[in-house]
Amino acid sequence: MKTSLTSSFLLSLFLFFSNGLLLAQPKKQPVKNSTEQAGLWKDTDGHFINAHGGGILQHKGIYYWFGEIKKGKTWLVPGQSWECYRVPAGGISCYSSKDLNAWKYEGVVLSATTNNRRSDLDTSNVIERPKVVYNQKTGQFVLWMHIDHKDYSYAHAGVAVSDKPTGPYRYLGSLKPNGHDSRDMTLFQDDDGKAYLIHASENNNTMHINLLSDDYLRPTNRYVRILEGKRREAPALVKQAGKYYLITSDCTGWNPNPASVAVADSPLGKWATQANPCVGPNAETTFRSQSTYILPLDPKRGKFLFMADRWNKTNLEDSRYVWLPLDIKAGKVTIPWQANKL
Ligand code: DGJ
Protein backbone atom coordinates (compact mmCIF):
# COMPACT_ATOMS: atom_id res chain seq x y z
CA MET A 1 0.00 0.00 0.00
CA LYS A 2 2.66 2.41 -0.98
CA THR A 3 1.74 5.73 -2.43
CA SER A 4 3.03 7.43 -5.51
CA LEU A 5 1.75 10.87 -4.61
CA THR A 6 4.22 13.52 -5.66
CA SER A 7 5.58 15.98 -3.17
CA SER A 8 3.90 18.83 -5.02
CA PHE A 9 0.58 17.11 -4.50
CA LEU A 10 1.43 16.66 -0.85
CA LEU A 11 2.22 20.33 -0.52
CA SER A 12 -1.09 21.17 -2.07
CA LEU A 13 -3.07 18.76 0.08
CA PHE A 14 -5.19 20.68 2.51
CA LEU A 15 -8.16 19.98 4.64
CA PHE A 16 -11.55 21.50 4.51
CA PHE A 17 -13.96 21.25 7.36
CA SER A 18 -17.66 21.85 7.42
CA ASN A 19 -20.37 20.72 9.84
CA GLY A 20 -18.68 17.57 10.96
CA LEU A 21 -16.89 16.67 7.74
CA LEU A 22 -13.22 16.93 6.99
CA LEU A 23 -11.84 15.97 3.68
CA ALA A 24 -8.50 16.07 1.97
CA GLN A 25 -8.43 18.11 -1.20
CA PRO A 26 -5.70 19.10 -3.58
CA LYS A 27 -5.46 22.89 -3.59
CA LYS A 28 -6.36 23.28 -7.24
CA GLN A 29 -9.75 21.66 -6.72
CA PRO A 30 -12.65 23.96 -5.85
CA VAL A 31 -13.59 23.93 -2.19
CA LYS A 32 -17.01 22.40 -1.69
CA ASN A 33 -18.44 24.99 0.63
CA SER A 34 -21.96 25.63 -0.55
CA THR A 35 -24.59 25.33 2.14
CA GLU A 36 -26.24 22.41 0.35
CA GLN A 37 -23.05 20.45 0.50
CA ALA A 38 -21.87 21.63 3.86
CA GLY A 39 -20.95 18.69 6.02
CA LEU A 40 -21.78 16.00 3.50
CA TRP A 41 -19.31 14.51 1.11
CA LYS A 42 -20.62 13.59 -2.33
CA ASP A 43 -19.26 11.22 -4.95
CA THR A 44 -18.78 12.20 -8.59
CA ASP A 45 -22.45 11.34 -9.31
CA GLY A 46 -23.60 13.76 -6.62
CA HIS A 47 -24.66 11.10 -4.11
CA PHE A 48 -23.53 11.05 -0.49
CA ILE A 49 -20.55 8.79 0.09
CA ASN A 50 -21.62 5.78 2.16
CA ALA A 51 -18.39 4.06 3.27
CA HIS A 52 -18.10 3.95 7.06
CA GLY A 53 -15.50 2.19 9.20
CA GLY A 54 -13.53 2.04 5.99
CA GLY A 55 -10.03 1.66 4.65
CA ILE A 56 -8.13 2.48 1.48
CA LEU A 57 -6.24 0.19 -0.88
CA GLN A 58 -3.84 1.80 -3.31
CA HIS A 59 -3.38 -0.24 -6.47
CA LYS A 60 -1.77 0.83 -9.75
CA GLY A 61 -2.10 4.53 -8.99
CA ILE A 62 -5.76 4.39 -7.95
CA TYR A 63 -7.13 4.71 -4.44
CA TYR A 64 -10.00 2.36 -3.57
CA TRP A 65 -12.04 3.30 -0.51
CA PHE A 66 -14.04 0.41 0.97
CA GLY A 67 -16.58 0.97 3.71
CA GLU A 68 -19.74 -0.13 5.46
CA ILE A 69 -23.01 0.87 3.83
CA LYS A 70 -25.18 2.30 6.57
CA LYS A 71 -28.69 2.76 5.29
CA GLY A 72 -32.13 2.70 6.86
CA LYS A 73 -33.60 3.43 10.20
CA THR A 74 -31.39 3.22 13.27
CA TRP A 75 -32.87 1.14 16.09
CA LEU A 76 -31.80 0.17 19.59
CA VAL A 77 -31.37 -3.56 20.18
CA PRO A 78 -33.41 -4.27 23.31
CA GLY A 79 -32.02 -5.95 26.42
CA GLN A 80 -28.40 -4.84 26.06
CA SER A 81 -26.29 -3.39 28.86
CA TRP A 82 -24.99 -0.72 26.46
CA GLU A 83 -26.42 1.53 23.76
CA CYS A 84 -26.48 -1.07 20.99
CA TYR A 85 -27.71 1.09 18.10
CA ARG A 86 -27.98 -0.69 14.77
CA VAL A 87 -28.90 -0.24 11.14
CA PRO A 88 -29.51 -3.21 8.83
CA ALA A 89 -26.18 -4.51 7.48
CA GLY A 90 -25.91 -2.91 4.05
CA GLY A 91 -22.87 -4.71 2.65
CA ILE A 92 -19.60 -3.16 1.53
CA SER A 93 -19.24 -0.25 -0.88
CA CYS A 94 -16.27 0.83 -2.96
CA TYR A 95 -15.28 4.24 -4.35
CA SER A 96 -12.22 4.99 -6.49
CA SER A 97 -10.15 8.15 -6.84
CA LYS A 98 -6.91 9.37 -8.31
CA ASP A 99 -6.57 12.33 -5.95
CA LEU A 100 -8.33 11.40 -2.67
CA ASN A 101 -10.86 14.12 -3.43
CA ALA A 102 -13.11 13.15 -6.34
CA TRP A 103 -14.57 9.72 -5.55
CA LYS A 104 -16.31 7.61 -8.18
CA TYR A 105 -18.85 5.11 -6.90
CA GLU A 106 -17.81 1.58 -7.94
CA GLY A 107 -20.87 -0.09 -6.44
CA VAL A 108 -21.60 -2.65 -3.76
CA VAL A 109 -18.64 -5.04 -3.80
CA LEU A 110 -20.06 -7.43 -1.21
CA SER A 111 -23.83 -7.51 -0.85
CA ALA A 112 -25.83 -8.23 2.26
CA THR A 113 -28.48 -10.91 1.75
CA THR A 114 -32.11 -11.11 2.79
CA ASN A 115 -33.03 -14.68 1.92
CA ASN A 116 -31.19 -16.59 4.64
CA ARG A 117 -31.19 -15.36 8.21
CA ARG A 118 -28.49 -17.90 9.07
CA SER A 119 -26.07 -16.35 6.60
CA ASP A 120 -23.23 -14.20 7.99
CA LEU A 121 -24.20 -11.57 5.44
CA ASP A 122 -27.87 -11.35 6.37
CA THR A 123 -29.07 -7.77 6.79
CA SER A 124 -30.03 -8.59 10.40
CA ASN A 125 -26.32 -9.05 11.19
CA VAL A 126 -23.37 -6.70 11.55
CA ILE A 127 -20.83 -6.24 8.72
CA GLU A 128 -18.25 -3.71 9.84
CA ARG A 129 -14.76 -2.27 9.28
CA PRO A 130 -13.93 -3.81 5.87
CA LYS A 131 -10.26 -3.67 4.82
CA VAL A 132 -8.72 -4.90 1.55
CA VAL A 133 -5.16 -5.93 0.66
CA TYR A 134 -3.75 -7.22 -2.62
CA ASN A 135 -1.89 -10.52 -2.57
CA GLN A 136 0.94 -10.39 -5.09
CA LYS A 137 1.43 -14.18 -5.03
CA THR A 138 -2.16 -15.18 -5.72
CA GLY A 139 -3.20 -12.09 -7.68
CA GLN A 140 -6.27 -11.82 -5.45
CA PHE A 141 -7.75 -8.90 -3.56
CA VAL A 142 -8.55 -10.08 -0.05
CA LEU A 143 -11.24 -8.42 2.03
CA TRP A 144 -11.50 -9.01 5.77
CA MET A 145 -14.31 -7.63 7.90
CA HIS A 146 -16.01 -7.87 11.28
CA ILE A 147 -19.04 -10.18 11.15
CA ASP A 148 -21.40 -10.21 14.07
CA HIS A 149 -24.93 -10.81 15.26
CA LYS A 150 -27.10 -7.82 16.06
CA ASP A 151 -26.07 -7.99 19.74
CA TYR A 152 -22.36 -8.41 18.89
CA SER A 153 -22.28 -11.87 20.51
CA TYR A 154 -20.97 -13.80 17.45
CA ALA A 155 -17.63 -11.93 17.18
CA HIS A 156 -16.18 -13.43 13.99
CA ALA A 157 -13.78 -12.21 11.30
CA GLY A 158 -15.08 -12.76 7.76
CA VAL A 159 -13.06 -13.02 4.55
CA ALA A 160 -13.89 -12.61 0.86
CA VAL A 161 -11.82 -12.53 -2.35
CA SER A 162 -11.94 -11.02 -5.81
CA ASP A 163 -9.79 -10.89 -8.93
CA LYS A 164 -10.51 -7.19 -9.28
CA PRO A 165 -10.26 -4.43 -6.68
CA THR A 166 -13.81 -3.35 -7.44
CA GLY A 167 -15.22 -6.85 -6.94
CA PRO A 168 -17.61 -8.47 -6.75
CA TYR A 169 -16.04 -10.26 -3.77
CA ARG A 170 -16.78 -13.94 -3.14
CA TYR A 171 -17.52 -14.56 0.53
CA LEU A 172 -15.49 -17.47 1.92
CA GLY A 173 -16.85 -17.54 5.46
CA SER A 174 -15.91 -16.36 8.93
CA LEU A 175 -13.94 -17.64 11.88
CA LYS A 176 -12.62 -16.87 15.33
CA PRO A 177 -8.87 -16.33 14.82
CA ASN A 178 -7.07 -19.04 16.78
CA GLY A 179 -10.33 -19.67 18.59
CA HIS A 180 -10.58 -16.11 19.94
CA ASP A 181 -13.47 -13.72 19.52
CA SER A 182 -12.89 -10.93 17.01
CA ARG A 183 -14.72 -7.60 16.83
CA ASP A 184 -13.19 -4.31 15.59
CA MET A 185 -10.42 -5.19 13.17
CA THR A 186 -7.99 -3.94 10.57
CA LEU A 187 -5.42 -5.37 8.16
CA PHE A 188 -1.79 -4.42 7.78
CA GLN A 189 0.44 -5.43 4.86
CA ASP A 190 4.17 -5.20 5.52
CA ASP A 191 6.94 -4.44 2.99
CA ASP A 192 8.03 -8.10 3.09
CA GLY A 193 4.63 -9.24 1.78
CA LYS A 194 3.43 -10.54 5.14
CA ALA A 195 -0.03 -9.44 6.20
CA TYR A 196 -1.58 -9.23 9.66
CA LEU A 197 -5.11 -9.25 11.04
CA ILE A 198 -5.39 -6.98 14.07
CA HIS A 199 -8.57 -7.40 16.11
CA ALA A 200 -10.16 -6.56 19.43
CA SER A 201 -10.52 -9.82 21.35
CA GLU A 202 -11.19 -11.34 24.76
CA ASN A 203 -14.43 -9.43 25.05
CA ASN A 204 -12.78 -6.27 23.78
CA ASN A 205 -10.30 -6.39 26.65
CA THR A 206 -7.16 -7.23 24.67
CA MET A 207 -6.02 -6.63 21.10
CA HIS A 208 -4.62 -9.56 19.08
CA ILE A 209 -2.25 -9.36 16.11
CA ASN A 210 -2.29 -12.47 13.90
CA LEU A 211 0.10 -13.24 11.09
CA LEU A 212 -1.99 -14.31 8.09
CA SER A 213 -1.15 -17.27 5.85
CA ASP A 214 0.77 -16.52 2.63
CA ASP A 215 -2.50 -16.32 0.67
CA TYR A 216 -3.94 -13.97 3.38
CA LEU A 217 -7.04 -16.17 3.66
CA ARG A 218 -6.59 -17.50 7.20
CA PRO A 219 -4.77 -16.61 10.40
CA THR A 220 -1.67 -18.68 11.15
CA ASN A 221 -1.06 -19.84 14.71
CA ARG A 222 1.44 -17.00 15.19
CA TYR A 223 -0.20 -14.19 17.10
CA VAL A 224 0.44 -11.83 20.00
CA ARG A 225 -1.84 -10.45 22.70
CA ILE A 226 -1.21 -6.75 23.19
CA LEU A 227 -2.63 -3.85 25.22
CA GLU A 228 -3.83 -6.50 27.66
CA GLY A 229 -6.86 -5.48 29.66
CA LYS A 230 -6.76 -1.98 28.17
CA ARG A 231 -10.10 -2.31 26.31
CA ARG A 232 -9.04 -0.77 23.00
CA GLU A 233 -10.82 -0.98 19.65
CA ALA A 234 -10.89 0.69 16.19
CA PRO A 235 -7.29 -0.37 15.35
CA ALA A 236 -5.31 1.29 12.53
CA LEU A 237 -1.67 0.35 11.93
CA VAL A 238 1.18 1.95 9.95
CA LYS A 239 4.92 1.54 9.59
CA GLN A 240 7.42 4.36 9.50
CA ALA A 241 11.21 4.22 9.55
CA GLY A 242 11.22 0.59 10.67
CA LYS A 243 8.75 1.10 13.52
CA TYR A 244 5.11 0.08 13.70
CA TYR A 245 2.46 2.40 15.11
CA LEU A 246 -1.00 1.27 16.15
CA ILE A 247 -3.72 3.81 16.84
CA THR A 248 -6.71 2.58 18.80
CA SER A 249 -9.74 4.08 20.49
CA ASP A 250 -11.16 3.39 23.89
CA CYS A 251 -14.18 1.08 24.01
CA THR A 252 -17.27 3.26 24.51
CA GLY A 253 -19.80 2.02 21.93
CA TRP A 254 -20.60 4.71 19.38
CA ASN A 255 -19.45 7.53 21.67
CA PRO A 256 -16.10 9.19 20.93
CA ASN A 257 -13.18 8.93 23.34
CA PRO A 258 -9.42 9.57 23.44
CA ALA A 259 -7.18 7.77 20.93
CA SER A 260 -3.86 6.31 21.92
CA VAL A 261 -0.77 5.08 20.11
CA ALA A 262 1.26 1.93 20.67
CA VAL A 263 4.67 1.44 19.06
CA ALA A 264 6.72 -1.69 18.34
CA ASP A 265 9.75 -2.87 16.38
CA SER A 266 7.75 -5.64 14.71
CA PRO A 267 4.04 -6.49 14.45
CA LEU A 268 4.50 -9.60 16.60
CA GLY A 269 6.86 -7.82 18.97
CA LYS A 270 6.45 -5.95 22.22
CA TRP A 271 4.18 -2.92 22.06
CA ALA A 272 4.71 0.16 24.22
CA THR A 273 1.94 2.68 24.73
CA GLN A 274 2.30 6.37 23.95
CA ALA A 275 -0.04 9.24 24.74
CA ASN A 276 -3.05 10.56 22.83
CA PRO A 277 -1.66 11.78 19.47
CA CYS A 278 -4.46 14.30 18.87
CA VAL A 279 -3.65 17.99 19.30
CA GLY A 280 -6.18 20.81 19.39
CA PRO A 281 -9.81 21.37 20.36
CA ASN A 282 -11.69 18.13 21.11
CA ALA A 283 -8.42 16.18 21.17
CA GLU A 284 -9.81 14.23 24.13
CA THR A 285 -12.54 12.79 21.89
CA THR A 286 -10.36 12.29 18.79
CA PHE A 287 -12.11 15.40 17.43
CA ARG A 288 -15.48 13.69 18.10
CA SER A 289 -14.53 10.69 15.98
CA GLN A 290 -13.05 7.20 16.05
CA SER A 291 -10.07 5.84 14.09
CA THR A 292 -10.59 3.54 11.13
CA TYR A 293 -7.50 3.66 8.89
CA ILE A 294 -4.16 5.36 8.28
CA LEU A 295 -3.11 5.88 4.67
CA PRO A 296 0.60 6.42 3.94
CA LEU A 297 1.07 9.57 1.82
CA ASP A 298 4.79 10.19 2.07
CA PRO A 299 5.93 7.74 4.75
CA LYS A 300 9.64 8.62 4.41
CA ARG A 301 8.81 12.15 5.47
CA GLY A 302 6.42 10.87 8.11
CA LYS A 303 3.26 12.05 6.30
CA PHE A 304 0.07 10.01 6.61
CA LEU A 305 -3.67 10.53 6.34
CA PHE A 306 -5.70 9.69 9.44
CA MET A 307 -9.21 8.48 8.63
CA ALA A 308 -11.92 8.39 11.28
CA ASP A 309 -15.68 8.14 11.65
CA ARG A 310 -17.82 10.69 13.39
CA TRP A 311 -20.69 8.38 14.34
CA ASN A 312 -24.22 9.64 14.71
CA LYS A 313 -25.42 6.88 16.98
CA THR A 314 -29.15 7.58 16.72
CA ASN A 315 -28.99 8.04 12.95
CA LEU A 316 -26.04 5.93 11.84
CA GLU A 317 -26.64 6.59 8.15
CA ASP A 318 -25.87 10.23 8.87
CA SER A 319 -22.42 9.47 10.33
CA ARG A 320 -19.60 11.63 8.91
CA TYR A 321 -15.94 11.27 7.99
CA VAL A 322 -13.01 13.02 9.64
CA TRP A 323 -9.77 12.99 7.66
CA LEU A 324 -6.72 14.71 9.11
CA PRO A 325 -2.98 14.76 8.55
CA LEU A 326 -1.04 12.36 10.77
CA ASP A 327 2.65 13.10 11.27
CA ILE A 328 5.36 10.86 12.63
CA LYS A 329 8.54 12.63 13.68
CA ALA A 330 11.34 11.16 15.76
CA GLY A 331 9.14 8.27 16.84
CA LYS A 332 6.25 10.47 17.94
CA VAL A 333 2.80 10.51 16.32
CA THR A 334 0.72 13.67 16.15
CA ILE A 335 -2.69 14.30 14.62
CA PRO A 336 -3.08 18.08 14.58
CA TRP A 337 -6.51 19.62 14.28
CA GLN A 338 -7.02 21.58 11.05
CA ALA A 339 -9.45 24.46 11.22
CA ASN A 340 -11.76 24.79 8.27
CA LYS A 341 -11.03 27.13 5.41
CA LEU A 342 -14.57 28.37 5.04
C1 DGJ B 1 -17.47 0.86 18.19
C2 DGJ B 1 -16.86 0.17 17.03
O1 DGJ B 1 -15.64 0.73 16.79
C3 DGJ B 1 -17.77 0.28 15.83
O2 DGJ B 1 -17.17 -0.29 14.71
C4 DGJ B 1 -19.04 -0.40 16.20
O3 DGJ B 1 -18.81 -1.78 16.38
C5 DGJ B 1 -19.60 0.21 17.45
N1 DGJ B 1 -18.64 0.17 18.54
C6 DGJ B 1 -20.81 -0.49 17.93
O4 DGJ B 1 -21.24 0.16 19.08
Side-chain angles (χ1 to χ4, degrees):
M1 275 184 253
K2 287 186 176 162
T3 177
S4 62
L5 282 183
T6 60
S7 50
S8 62
F9 171 80
L10 287 167
L11 280 173
S12 69
L13 189 75
F14 74 102
L15 293 162
F16 140 71
F17 168 71
S18 168
N19 264 0
L21 173 78
L22 278 162
L23 59 92
Q25 294 199 93
K27 208 170 190 169
K28 285 175 191 150
Q29 303 278 342
V31 175
K32 295 178 185 167
N33 61 358
S34 73
T35 44
E36 296 84 48
Q37 287 177 317
L40 292 164
W41 195 351
K42 290 183 176 173
D43 65 18
T44 50
D45 293 329
H47 299 125
F48 299 129
I49 293 178
N50 199 333
H52 307 278
I56 289 181
L57 163 80
Q58 202 200 352
H59 188 72
K60 296 191 174 163
I62 310 273
Y63 297 99
Y64 297 93
W65 175 5
F66 299 89
E68 306 156 16
I69 300 169
K70 293 209 177 296
K71 215 168 178 40
K73 200 169 157 30
T74 299
W75 56 291
L76 189 58
V77 178
Q80 305 303 305
S81 57
W82 61 291
E83 287 185 316
C84 186
Y85 284 105
R86 293 271 304 108
V87 276
I92 309 294
S93 61
C94 177
Y95 296 80
S96 66
S97 174
K98 287 187 178 157
D99 60 7
L100 296 171
N101 175 34
W103 289 97
K104 175 174 175 272
Y105 181 53
E106 298 285 357
V108 179
V109 296
L110 183 72
S111 302
T113 55
T114 49
N115 54 0
N116 179 6
R117 285 186 77 84
R118 294 178 63 182
S119 157
D120 278 0
L121 303 180
D122 190 77
T123 51
S124 62
N125 282 335
V126 166
I127 307 173
E128 287 182 344
R129 297 193 173 266
K131 304 289 177 296
V132 174
V133 285
Y134 176 64
N135 189 306
Q136 194 81 41
K137 285 186 188 148
T138 62
Q140 283 188 316
F141 296 85
V142 182
L143 161 64
W144 282 84
M145 71 214 95
H146 172 195
I147 296 286
D148 225 318
H149 289 164
K150 64 180 179 197
D151 60 357
Y152 290 82
S153 60
Y154 188 54
H156 275 53
V159 61
V161 288
S162 173
D163 296 334
K164 291 186 297 175
T166 50
Y169 284 76
R170 186 164 51 89
Y171 190 65
L172 300 179
S174 71
L175 47 76
K176 289 194 170 192
N178 286 294
H180 294 287
D181 58 72
S182 176
R183 292 191 175 86
D184 276 13
M185 47 72 56
T186 193
L187 292 179
F188 174 73
Q189 188 177 38
D190 211 340
D191 314 326
D192 59 5
K194 290 192 166 70
Y196 299 84
L197 172 69
I198 300 104
H199 64 97
S201 193
E202 304 178 32
N203 272 323
N204 283 345
N205 279 302
T206 295
M207 197 67 75
H208 287 196
I209 303 186
N210 289 258
L211 173 65
L212 291 174
S213 54
D214 286 350
D215 58 10
Y216 301 168
L217 299 183
R218 59 183 175 80
T220 66
N221 60 10
R222 293 188 59 201
Y223 72 97
V224 287
R225 300 171 62 245
I226 69 163
L227 308 176
E228 282 174 53
K230 297 255 189 285
R231 292 190 66 73
R232 308 300 298 174
E233 55 179 13
L237 205 162
V238 281
K239 182 179 190 179
Q240 203 266 340
K243 288 206 183 294
Y244 298 79
Y245 298 87
L246 177 69
I247 301 232
T248 56
S249 75
D250 200 354
C251 189
T252 55
W254 298 107
N255 299 323
N257 56 57
S260 78
V261 183
V263 59
D265 291 330
S266 81
L268 298 179
K270 275 208 167 317
W271 289 81
T273 310
Q274 296 182 349
N276 184 349
C278 299
V279 181
N282 297 310
E284 69 288 354
T285 57
T286 319
F287 315 114
R288 298 193 284 129
S289 71
Q290 187 185 31
S291 44
T292 185
Y293 198 72
I294 304 167
L295 178 72
L297 295 176
D298 187 353
K300 285 205 174 119
R301 292 180 54 237
K303 298 288 176 198
F304 298 83
L305 182 67
F306 175 71
M307 295 167 58
D309 295 285
R310 182 170 287 168
W311 302 117
N312 179 344
K313 66 181 176 185
T314 54
N315 183 5
L316 284 164
E317 184 177 348
D318 191 41
S319 299
R320 308 293 170 90
Y321 313 101
V322 173
W323 288 18
L324 287 168
L326 181 150
D327 302 319
I328 306 180
K329 242 188 225 143
K332 190 167 177 265
V333 181
T334 47
I335 306 173
W337 175 248
Q338 295 274 322
N340 74 61
K341 309 267 179 187
L342 299 179

